[in-house]
Amino acid sequence: MGRWRLYNTPEEQRLAANAKSRRSYHKFNLVGKRLPAFRPLNLDKPQDPKPQDPERDNPRHVLYWSVRAERVARKLTKIVGDSPINYLESLYNNFVTSQSSEAIFDAIVGITKLEKWITTYQHEILQLAGAGVEWKRAEEVYKAVSVVLRSLEDLEMYTTLEGTDFSALHKAKEFAFQNLLG
């Protein structure tokens, strides 16, 4: 036995289909991004578009790339936290306790993406504005990402060696993150 029909008349069915289409349309922005689930749809009042700087949306302006470079810096801070050495120490301690380098590998994959992005943004800034203030800020972000990535790769290299005494290496400060960041 199936469920009963919700809409019996063709008019009710058409209105229900229209309402469903409207909900579906408003779930997705015109660019295809889904709205957060916790944000209620308020279809009754029109929404004001946010006033934005046109240079932020134009790839021919330096501000477009500078904003993206700052975004990479925020993402690095979100991944690593305020102290990269504490983040790398926690990965080292995690490896020593679990003998699994998956967390280190996953971190390398994430930071490699950031390095690729910041390299592209830095190149575009250099092409548009030369070695100015914006490029120097992007260079600082690149250096921060690069140091973390090189330290992660060094740590992963040691995890692949059989019979390595990690506590002795740690005490002797042989890891790159202890020298580069410490």
Side-chain angles (χ1 to χ4, degrees), residues 14-56:
R14 187 182 60 77
L15 290 174
N18 287 346
K20 180 182 174 189
S21 295
R22 191 176 328 112
R23 281 192 311 270
S24 175
Y25 175 79
H26 288 290
K27 270 187 192 176
F28 295 92
N29 288 344
L30 296 177
V31 294
K33 294 182 182 175
R34 190 176 178 108
L35 295 174
F38 61 88
R39 194 165 130 194
L41 293 176
N42 203 349
L43 303 177
D44 296 335
K45 63 179 183 178
Q47 297 180 0
D48 296 329
K50 295 180 184 177
Q52 290 201 358
D53 190 2
E55 293 180 359
R56 290 178 66 122

mmCIF file of all heavy atoms in Angstrom, residues 14-56:
data_model
loop_
_atom_site.group_PDB
_atom_site.id
_atom_site.type_symbol
_atom_site.label_atom_id
_atom_site.label_comp_id
_atom_site.label_asym_id
_atom_site.label_seq_id
_atom_site.Cartn_x
_atom_site.Cartn_y
_atom_site.Cartn_z
ATOM 1 N N ARG A 14 0.678 21.627 -9.963
ATOM 2 C CA ARG A 14 1.478 22.665 -10.610
ATOM 3 C C ARG A 14 2.044 23.633 -9.575
ATOM 4 O O ARG A 14 3.222 23.992 -9.631
ATOM 5 C CB ARG A 14 0.620 23.421 -11.624
ATOM 6 C CG ARG A 14 1.410 24.418 -12.470
ATOM 7 C CD ARG A 14 0.529 25.192 -13.423
ATOM 8 N NE ARG A 14 -0.502 25.981 -12.772
ATOM 9 C CZ ARG A 14 -0.280 27.148 -12.155
ATOM 10 N NH1 ARG A 14 0.915 27.656 -12.102
ATOM 11 N NH2 ARG A 14 -1.277 27.794 -11.592
ATOM 12 N N LEU A 15 1.221 24.035 -8.597
ATOM 13 C CA LEU A 15 1.699 24.937 -7.550
ATOM 14 C C LEU A 15 2.794 24.283 -6.707
ATOM 15 O O LEU A 15 3.778 24.927 -6.336
ATOM 16 C CB LEU A 15 0.532 25.385 -6.671
ATOM 17 C CG LEU A 15 -0.481 26.332 -7.318
ATOM 18 C CD1 LEU A 15 -1.655 26.570 -6.377
ATOM 19 C CD2 LEU A 15 0.183 27.631 -7.705
ATOM 20 N N ALA A 16 2.645 23.008 -6.409
ATOM 21 C CA ALA A 16 3.655 22.291 -5.633
ATOM 22 C C ALA A 16 4.962 22.188 -6.420
ATOM 23 O O ALA A 16 6.060 22.348 -5.869
ATOM 24 C CB ALA A 16 3.156 20.907 -5.246
ATOM 25 N N ALA A 17 4.869 21.934 -7.719
ATOM 26 C CA ALA A 17 6.066 21.847 -8.555
ATOM 27 C C ALA A 17 6.758 23.203 -8.643
ATOM 28 O O ALA A 17 7.996 23.286 -8.594
ATOM 29 C CB ALA A 17 5.702 21.334 -9.949
ATOM 30 N N ASN A 18 5.970 24.286 -8.741
ATOM 31 C CA ASN A 18 6.556 25.632 -8.765
ATOM 32 C C ASN A 18 7.283 25.945 -7.457
ATOM 33 O O ASN A 18 8.379 26.503 -7.467
ATOM 34 C CB ASN A 18 5.484 26.684 -9.031
ATOM 35 C CG ASN A 18 5.007 26.683 -10.462
ATOM 36 O OD1 ASN A 18 5.643 26.087 -11.323
ATOM 37 N ND2 ASN A 18 3.882 27.346 -10.720
ATOM 38 N N ALA A 19 6.648 25.595 -6.341
ATOM 39 C CA ALA A 19 7.273 25.854 -5.043
ATOM 40 C C ALA A 19 8.563 25.053 -4.896
ATOM 41 O O ALA A 19 9.578 25.549 -4.389
ATOM 42 C CB ALA A 19 6.304 25.514 -3.919
ATOM 43 N N LYS A 20 8.538 23.813 -5.363
ATOM 44 C CA LYS A 20 9.739 22.978 -5.291
ATOM 45 C C LYS A 20 10.857 23.556 -6.164
ATOM 46 O O LYS A 20 12.018 23.614 -5.754
ATOM 47 C CB LYS A 20 9.406 21.562 -5.735
ATOM 48 C CG LYS A 20 10.586 20.632 -5.705
ATOM 49 C CD LYS A 20 10.214 19.261 -6.208
ATOM 50 C CE LYS A 20 11.443 18.388 -6.295
ATOM 51 N NZ LYS A 20 11.190 17.131 -6.964
ATOM 52 N N SER A 21 10.517 24.007 -7.359
ATOM 53 C CA SER A 21 11.510 24.602 -8.248
ATOM 54 C C SER A 21 12.092 25.878 -7.640
ATOM 55 O O SER A 21 13.291 26.120 -7.717
ATOM 56 C CB SER A 21 10.894 24.913 -9.605
ATOM 57 O OG SER A 21 10.511 23.744 -10.254
ATOM 58 N N ARG A 22 11.244 26.697 -7.031
ATOM 59 C CA ARG A 22 11.709 27.934 -6.409
ATOM 60 C C ARG A 22 12.664 27.634 -5.256
ATOM 61 O O ARG A 22 13.706 28.267 -5.116
ATOM 62 C CB ARG A 22 10.510 28.745 -5.921
ATOM 63 C CG ARG A 22 10.881 30.153 -5.499
ATOM 64 C CD ARG A 22 9.701 31.036 -5.095
ATOM 65 N NE ARG A 22 8.468 30.770 -5.796
ATOM 66 C CZ ARG A 22 7.377 30.256 -5.225
ATOM 67 N NH1 ARG A 22 7.370 29.939 -3.965
ATOM 68 N NH2 ARG A 22 6.293 30.048 -5.928
ATOM 69 N N ARG A 23 12.326 26.644 -4.420
ATOM 70 C CA ARG A 23 13.220 26.263 -3.321
ATOM 71 C C ARG A 23 14.548 25.766 -3.859
ATOM 72 O O ARG A 23 15.617 26.115 -3.347
ATOM 73 C CB ARG A 23 12.570 25.180 -2.466
ATOM 74 C CG ARG A 23 11.549 25.680 -1.491
ATOM 75 C CD ARG A 23 11.168 24.600 -0.483
ATOM 76 N NE ARG A 23 10.833 23.316 -1.088
ATOM 77 C CZ ARG A 23 9.617 22.921 -1.474
ATOM 78 N NH1 ARG A 23 8.605 23.744 -1.328
ATOM 79 N NH2 ARG A 23 9.425 21.735 -1.995
ATOM 80 N N SER A 24 14.506 24.946 -4.889
ATOM 81 C CA SER A 24 15.730 24.405 -5.479
ATOM 82 C C SER A 24 16.576 25.517 -6.080
ATOM 83 O O SER A 24 17.799 25.521 -5.936
ATOM 84 C CB SER A 24 15.377 23.371 -6.544
ATOM 85 O OG SER A 24 16.537 22.921 -7.190
ATOM 86 N N TYR A 25 15.938 26.457 -6.743
ATOM 87 C CA TYR A 25 16.672 27.558 -7.356
ATOM 88 C C TYR A 25 17.381 28.393 -6.298
ATOM 89 O O TYR A 25 18.529 28.786 -6.465
ATOM 90 C CB TYR A 25 15.719 28.435 -8.167
ATOM 91 C CG TYR A 25 16.374 29.665 -8.733
ATOM 92 C CD1 TYR A 25 17.155 29.577 -9.884
ATOM 93 C CD2 TYR A 25 16.233 30.896 -8.131
ATOM 94 C CE1 TYR A 25 17.766 30.688 -10.413
ATOM 95 C CE2 TYR A 25 16.839 32.016 -8.645
ATOM 96 C CZ TYR A 25 17.612 31.918 -9.796
ATOM 97 O OH TYR A 25 18.227 33.022 -10.303
ATOM 98 N N HIS A 26 16.696 28.678 -5.198
ATOM 99 C CA HIS A 26 17.270 29.520 -4.169
ATOM 100 C C HIS A 26 18.269 28.782 -3.281
ATOM 101 O O HIS A 26 19.000 29.403 -2.528
ATOM 102 C CB HIS A 26 16.175 30.175 -3.332
ATOM 103 C CG HIS A 26 15.449 31.238 -4.085
ATOM 104 N ND1 HIS A 26 16.030 32.437 -4.431
ATOM 105 C CD2 HIS A 26 14.200 31.268 -4.607
ATOM 106 C CE1 HIS A 26 15.179 33.165 -5.105
ATOM 107 N NE2 HIS A 26 14.051 32.483 -5.231
ATOM 108 N N LYS A 27 18.301 27.457 -3.346
ATOM 109 C CA LYS A 27 19.323 26.713 -2.612
ATOM 110 C C LYS A 27 20.694 26.958 -3.206
ATOM 111 O O LYS A 27 21.699 26.918 -2.532
ATOM 112 C CB LYS A 27 19.043 25.210 -2.665
ATOM 113 C CG LYS A 27 18.204 24.697 -1.564
ATOM 114 C CD LYS A 27 18.168 23.183 -1.653
ATOM 115 C CE LYS A 27 17.117 22.612 -0.774
ATOM 116 N NZ LYS A 27 17.015 21.168 -0.924
ATOM 117 N N PHE A 28 20.734 27.176 -4.493
ATOM 118 C CA PHE A 28 21.998 27.347 -5.191
ATOM 119 C C PHE A 28 22.106 28.776 -5.701
ATOM 120 O O PHE A 28 21.149 29.320 -6.250
ATOM 121 C CB PHE A 28 22.090 26.379 -6.375
ATOM 122 C CG PHE A 28 22.125 24.958 -5.948
ATOM 123 C CD1 PHE A 28 20.964 24.217 -5.842
ATOM 124 C CD2 PHE A 28 23.323 24.356 -5.622
ATOM 125 C CE1 PHE A 28 20.995 22.905 -5.436
ATOM 126 C CE2 PHE A 28 23.361 23.041 -5.218
ATOM 127 C CZ PHE A 28 22.197 22.320 -5.123
ATOM 128 N N ASN A 29 23.277 29.372 -5.490
ATOM 129 C CA ASN A 29 23.521 30.693 -6.063
ATOM 130 C C ASN A 29 23.594 30.569 -7.573
ATOM 131 O O ASN A 29 23.658 29.478 -8.131
ATOM 132 C CB ASN A 29 24.847 31.258 -5.547
ATOM 133 C CG ASN A 29 24.756 31.654 -4.103
ATOM 134 O OD1 ASN A 29 23.669 31.796 -3.567
ATOM 135 N ND2 ASN A 29 25.885 31.848 -3.482
ATOM 136 N N LEU A 30 23.629 31.679 -8.221
ATOM 137 C CA LEU A 30 23.713 31.651 -9.673
ATOM 138 C C LEU A 30 25.028 31.051 -10.150
ATOM 139 O O LEU A 30 25.116 30.550 -11.248
ATOM 140 C CB LEU A 30 23.545 33.060 -10.236
ATOM 141 C CG LEU A 30 22.180 33.680 -9.963
ATOM 142 C CD1 LEU A 30 22.150 35.105 -10.495
ATOM 143 C CD2 LEU A 30 21.079 32.860 -10.577
ATOM 144 N N VAL A 31 26.083 31.085 -9.308
ATOM 145 C CA VAL A 31 27.373 30.503 -9.690
ATOM 146 C C VAL A 31 27.476 29.050 -9.284
ATOM 147 O O VAL A 31 28.489 28.418 -9.520
ATOM 148 C CB VAL A 31 28.544 31.298 -9.078
ATOM 149 C CG1 VAL A 31 28.617 32.674 -9.661
ATOM 150 C CG2 VAL A 31 28.439 31.330 -7.571
ATOM 151 N N GLY A 32 26.447 28.490 -8.653
ATOM 152 C CA GLY A 32 26.432 27.076 -8.338
ATOM 153 C C GLY A 32 26.882 26.735 -6.935
ATOM 154 O O GLY A 32 26.988 25.571 -6.594
ATOM 155 N N LYS A 33 27.153 27.718 -6.098
ATOM 156 C CA LYS A 33 27.575 27.416 -4.730
ATOM 157 C C LYS A 33 26.342 27.200 -3.874
ATOM 158 O O LYS A 33 25.386 27.961 -3.926
ATOM 159 C CB LYS A 33 28.394 28.566 -4.160
ATOM 160 C CG LYS A 33 29.704 28.748 -4.865
ATOM 161 C CD LYS A 33 30.472 29.870 -4.228
ATOM 162 C CE LYS A 33 31.772 30.093 -4.948
ATOM 163 N NZ LYS A 33 32.484 31.230 -4.438
ATOM 164 N N ARG A 34 26.396 26.191 -3.064
ATOM 165 C CA ARG A 34 25.271 25.882 -2.206
ATOM 166 C C ARG A 34 25.318 26.780 -0.975
ATOM 167 O O ARG A 34 26.366 27.000 -0.388
ATOM 168 C CB ARG A 34 25.330 24.423 -1.786
ATOM 169 C CG ARG A 34 24.090 23.974 -1.094
ATOM 170 C CD ARG A 34 24.175 22.491 -0.781
ATOM 171 N NE ARG A 34 22.986 22.124 -0.075
ATOM 172 C CZ ARG A 34 22.021 21.410 -0.581
ATOM 173 N NH1 ARG A 34 22.115 20.969 -1.798
ATOM 174 N NH2 ARG A 34 20.949 21.122 0.116
ATOM 175 N N LEU A 35 24.163 27.282 -0.583
ATOM 176 C CA LEU A 35 24.090 28.092 0.616
ATOM 177 C C LEU A 35 24.227 27.206 1.846
ATOM 178 O O LEU A 35 23.849 26.042 1.813
ATOM 179 C CB LEU A 35 22.750 28.836 0.663
ATOM 180 C CG LEU A 35 22.536 29.871 -0.436
ATOM 181 C CD1 LEU A 35 21.119 30.415 -0.353
ATOM 182 C CD2 LEU A 35 23.521 30.984 -0.308
ATOM 183 N N PRO A 36 24.758 27.731 2.941
ATOM 184 C CA PRO A 36 24.858 26.916 4.158
ATOM 185 C C PRO A 36 23.478 26.456 4.622
ATOM 186 O O PRO A 36 22.492 27.167 4.479
ATOM 187 C CB PRO A 36 25.474 27.877 5.174
ATOM 188 C CG PRO A 36 26.115 28.945 4.365
ATOM 189 C CD PRO A 36 25.348 29.050 3.095
ATOM 190 N N ALA A 37 23.427 25.270 5.191
ATOM 191 C CA ALA A 37 22.161 24.671 5.587
ATOM 192 C C ALA A 37 21.504 25.431 6.734
ATOM 193 O O ALA A 37 20.290 25.463 6.842
ATOM 194 C CB ALA A 37 22.379 23.214 5.983
ATOM 195 N N PHE A 38 22.308 26.071 7.575
ATOM 196 C CA PHE A 38 21.744 26.739 8.742
ATOM 197 C C PHE A 38 21.152 28.103 8.395
ATOM 198 O O PHE A 38 20.465 28.695 9.200
ATOM 199 C CB PHE A 38 22.818 26.911 9.822
ATOM 200 C CG PHE A 38 23.978 27.746 9.383
ATOM 201 C CD1 PHE A 38 23.969 29.119 9.536
ATOM 202 C CD2 PHE A 38 25.087 27.152 8.808
ATOM 203 C CE1 PHE A 38 25.037 29.880 9.122
ATOM 204 C CE2 PHE A 38 26.161 27.907 8.392
ATOM 205 C CZ PHE A 38 26.130 29.266 8.544
ATOM 206 N N ARG A 39 21.407 28.607 7.216
ATOM 207 C CA ARG A 39 20.920 29.918 6.826
ATOM 208 C C ARG A 39 19.510 29.796 6.272
ATOM 209 O O ARG A 39 19.296 29.166 5.241
ATOM 210 C CB ARG A 39 21.855 30.507 5.781
ATOM 211 C CG ARG A 39 21.637 31.966 5.571
ATOM 212 C CD ARG A 39 22.818 32.521 4.832
ATOM 213 N NE ARG A 39 22.320 33.288 3.709
ATOM 214 C CZ ARG A 39 23.050 33.688 2.722
ATOM 215 N NH1 ARG A 39 24.305 33.362 2.674
ATOM 216 N NH2 ARG A 39 22.541 34.397 1.763
ATOM 217 N N PRO A 40 18.524 30.394 6.930
ATOM 218 C CA PRO A 40 17.151 30.249 6.457
ATOM 219 C C PRO A 40 16.939 31.027 5.159
ATOM 220 O O PRO A 40 17.506 32.086 4.956
ATOM 221 C CB PRO A 40 16.312 30.840 7.591
ATOM 222 C CG PRO A 40 17.226 31.787 8.274
ATOM 223 C CD PRO A 40 18.608 31.219 8.134
ATOM 224 N N LEU A 41 16.151 30.453 4.296
ATOM 225 C CA LEU A 41 15.806 31.131 3.058
ATOM 226 C C LEU A 41 14.692 32.119 3.353
ATOM 227 O O LEU A 41 13.637 31.753 3.860
ATOM 228 C CB LEU A 41 15.347 30.121 2.012
ATOM 229 C CG LEU A 41 16.400 29.161 1.520
ATOM 230 C CD1 LEU A 41 15.789 28.156 0.561
ATOM 231 C CD2 LEU A 41 17.510 29.919 0.829
ATOM 232 N N ASN A 42 14.926 33.362 3.052
ATOM 233 C CA ASN A 42 13.933 34.386 3.273
ATOM 234 C C ASN A 42 13.532 34.915 1.907
ATOM 235 O O ASN A 42 14.121 35.857 1.397
ATOM 236 C CB ASN A 42 14.501 35.481 4.165
ATOM 237 C CG ASN A 42 13.426 36.248 4.872
ATOM 238 O OD1 ASN A 42 12.245 36.099 4.557
ATOM 239 N ND2 ASN A 42 13.816 37.071 5.815
ATOM 240 N N LEU A 43 12.530 34.287 1.312
ATOM 241 C CA LEU A 43 12.154 34.606 -0.054
ATOM 242 C C LEU A 43 11.242 35.820 -0.140
ATOM 243 O O LEU A 43 11.021 36.355 -1.223
ATOM 244 C CB LEU A 43 11.463 33.402 -0.689
ATOM 245 C CG LEU A 43 12.275 32.110 -0.704
ATOM 246 C CD1 LEU A 43 11.457 30.989 -1.295
ATOM 247 C CD2 LEU A 43 13.548 32.310 -1.486
ATOM 248 N N ASP A 44 10.694 36.281 0.992
ATOM 249 C CA ASP A 44 9.739 37.373 0.962
ATOM 250 C C ASP A 44 10.399 38.726 0.731
ATOM 251 O O ASP A 44 9.898 39.548 -0.013
ATOM 252 C CB ASP A 44 8.934 37.417 2.264
ATOM 253 C CG ASP A 44 8.083 36.170 2.425
ATOM 254 O OD1 ASP A 44 7.745 35.553 1.398
ATOM 255 O OD2 ASP A 44 7.777 35.814 3.565
ATOM 256 N N LYS A 45 11.513 38.986 1.394
ATOM 257 C CA LYS A 45 12.137 40.301 1.231
ATOM 258 C C LYS A 45 13.344 40.189 0.293
ATOM 259 O O LYS A 45 14.110 39.221 0.346
ATOM 260 C CB LYS A 45 12.555 40.867 2.584
ATOM 261 C CG LYS A 45 13.583 40.087 3.338
ATOM 262 C CD LYS A 45 13.905 40.782 4.640
ATOM 263 C CE LYS A 45 15.007 40.029 5.379
ATOM 264 N NZ LYS A 45 15.387 40.671 6.590
ATOM 265 N N PRO A 46 13.511 41.159 -0.566
ATOM 266 C CA PRO A 46 14.647 41.120 -1.495
ATOM 267 C C PRO A 46 15.963 41.335 -0.744
ATOM 268 O O PRO A 46 16.023 42.098 0.217
ATOM 269 C CB PRO A 46 14.366 42.268 -2.456
ATOM 270 C CG PRO A 46 13.466 43.188 -1.707
ATOM 271 C CD PRO A 46 12.679 42.330 -0.753
ATOM 272 N N GLN A 47 16.985 40.657 -1.200
ATOM 273 C CA GLN A 47 18.288 40.773 -0.555
ATOM 274 C C GLN A 47 19.128 41.799 -1.296
ATOM 275 O O GLN A 47 19.175 41.808 -2.528
ATOM 276 C CB GLN A 47 18.993 39.427 -0.542
ATOM 277 C CG GLN A 47 18.238 38.402 0.265
ATOM 278 C CD GLN A 47 18.947 37.066 0.271
ATOM 279 O OE1 GLN A 47 19.990 36.910 -0.328
ATOM 280 N NE2 GLN A 47 18.370 36.106 0.962
ATOM 281 N N ASP A 48 19.758 42.664 -0.523
ATOM 282 C CA ASP A 48 20.605 43.688 -1.116
ATOM 283 C C ASP A 48 21.945 43.084 -1.482
ATOM 284 O O ASP A 48 22.557 42.378 -0.675
ATOM 285 C CB ASP A 48 20.835 44.834 -0.126
ATOM 286 C CG ASP A 48 19.541 45.552 0.211
ATOM 287 O OD1 ASP A 48 18.665 45.587 -0.671
ATOM 288 O OD2 ASP A 48 19.417 46.062 1.335
ATOM 289 N N PRO A 49 22.420 43.335 -2.698
ATOM 290 C CA PRO A 49 23.755 42.838 -3.042
ATOM 291 C C PRO A 49 24.811 43.597 -2.255
ATOM 292 O O PRO A 49 24.666 44.786 -1.973
ATOM 293 C CB PRO A 49 23.864 43.116 -4.540
ATOM 294 C CG PRO A 49 22.888 44.211 -4.804
ATOM 295 C CD PRO A 49 21.793 44.053 -3.778
ATOM 296 N N LYS A 50 25.866 42.881 -1.876
ATOM 297 C CA LYS A 50 26.941 43.507 -1.112
ATOM 298 C C LYS A 50 27.747 44.415 -2.033
ATOM 299 O O LYS A 50 28.139 44.001 -3.117
ATOM 300 C CB LYS A 50 27.867 42.439 -0.528
ATOM 301 C CG LYS A 50 27.205 41.566 0.487
ATOM 302 C CD LYS A 50 28.193 40.541 0.998
ATOM 303 C CE LYS A 50 27.516 39.588 1.941
ATOM 304 N NZ LYS A 50 28.427 38.543 2.390
ATOM 305 N N PRO A 51 27.983 45.644 -1.596
ATOM 306 C CA PRO A 51 28.843 46.492 -2.413
ATOM 307 C C PRO A 51 30.282 45.985 -2.330
ATOM 308 O O PRO A 51 30.823 45.810 -1.250
ATOM 309 C CB PRO A 51 28.707 47.876 -1.775
ATOM 310 C CG PRO A 51 28.264 47.611 -0.378
ATOM 311 C CD PRO A 51 27.512 46.312 -0.409
ATOM 312 N N GLN A 52 30.879 45.716 -3.484
ATOM 313 C CA GLN A 52 32.233 45.198 -3.502
ATOM 314 C C GLN A 52 33.099 46.076 -4.369
ATOM 315 O O GLN A 52 32.626 46.753 -5.279
ATOM 316 C CB GLN A 52 32.257 43.768 -4.019
ATOM 317 C CG GLN A 52 31.647 42.795 -3.062
ATOM 318 C CD GLN A 52 32.120 41.384 -3.342
ATOM 319 O OE1 GLN A 52 32.871 41.151 -4.259
ATOM 320 N NE2 GLN A 52 31.680 40.456 -2.550
ATOM 321 N N ASP A 53 34.372 46.025 -4.060
ATOM 322 C CA ASP A 53 35.346 46.746 -4.842
ATOM 323 C C ASP A 53 35.509 46.027 -6.176
ATOM 324 O O ASP A 53 35.800 44.834 -6.199
ATOM 325 C CB ASP A 53 36.672 46.757 -4.073
ATOM 326 C CG ASP A 53 37.684 47.684 -4.696
ATOM 327 O OD1 ASP A 53 37.347 48.340 -5.697
ATOM 328 O OD2 ASP A 53 38.807 47.756 -4.173
ATOM 329 N N PRO A 54 35.311 46.705 -7.307
ATOM 330 C CA PRO A 54 35.424 46.013 -8.589
ATOM 331 C C PRO A 54 36.827 45.457 -8.849
ATOM 332 O O PRO A 54 36.981 44.494 -9.586
ATOM 333 C CB PRO A 54 35.054 47.075 -9.624
ATOM 334 C CG PRO A 54 34.992 48.363 -8.917
ATOM 335 C CD PRO A 54 34.933 48.089 -7.454
ATOM 336 N N GLU A 55 37.840 46.027 -8.226
ATOM 337 C CA GLU A 55 39.202 45.528 -8.424
ATOM 338 C C GLU A 55 39.413 44.169 -7.773
ATOM 339 O O GLU A 55 40.269 43.407 -8.201
ATOM 340 C CB GLU A 55 40.218 46.531 -7.879
ATOM 341 C CG GLU A 55 40.261 47.828 -8.666
ATOM 342 C CD GLU A 55 41.261 48.807 -8.105
ATOM 343 O OE1 GLU A 55 41.912 48.477 -7.089
ATOM 344 O OE2 GLU A 55 41.386 49.891 -8.682
ATOM 345 N N ARG A 56 38.626 43.870 -6.745
ATOM 346 C CA ARG A 56 38.761 42.572 -6.071
ATOM 347 C C ARG A 56 38.297 41.424 -6.950
ATOM 348 O O ARG A 56 38.683 40.284 -6.751
ATOM 349 C CB ARG A 56 37.955 42.556 -4.772
ATOM 350 C CG ARG A 56 38.517 43.422 -3.695
ATOM 351 C CD ARG A 56 37.616 43.366 -2.497
ATOM 352 N NE ARG A 56 37.617 42.047 -1.924
ATOM 353 C CZ ARG A 56 37.943 41.761 -0.686
ATOM 354 N NH1 ARG A 56 38.302 42.715 0.118
ATOM 355 N NH2 ARG A 56 37.903 40.529 -0.249
#
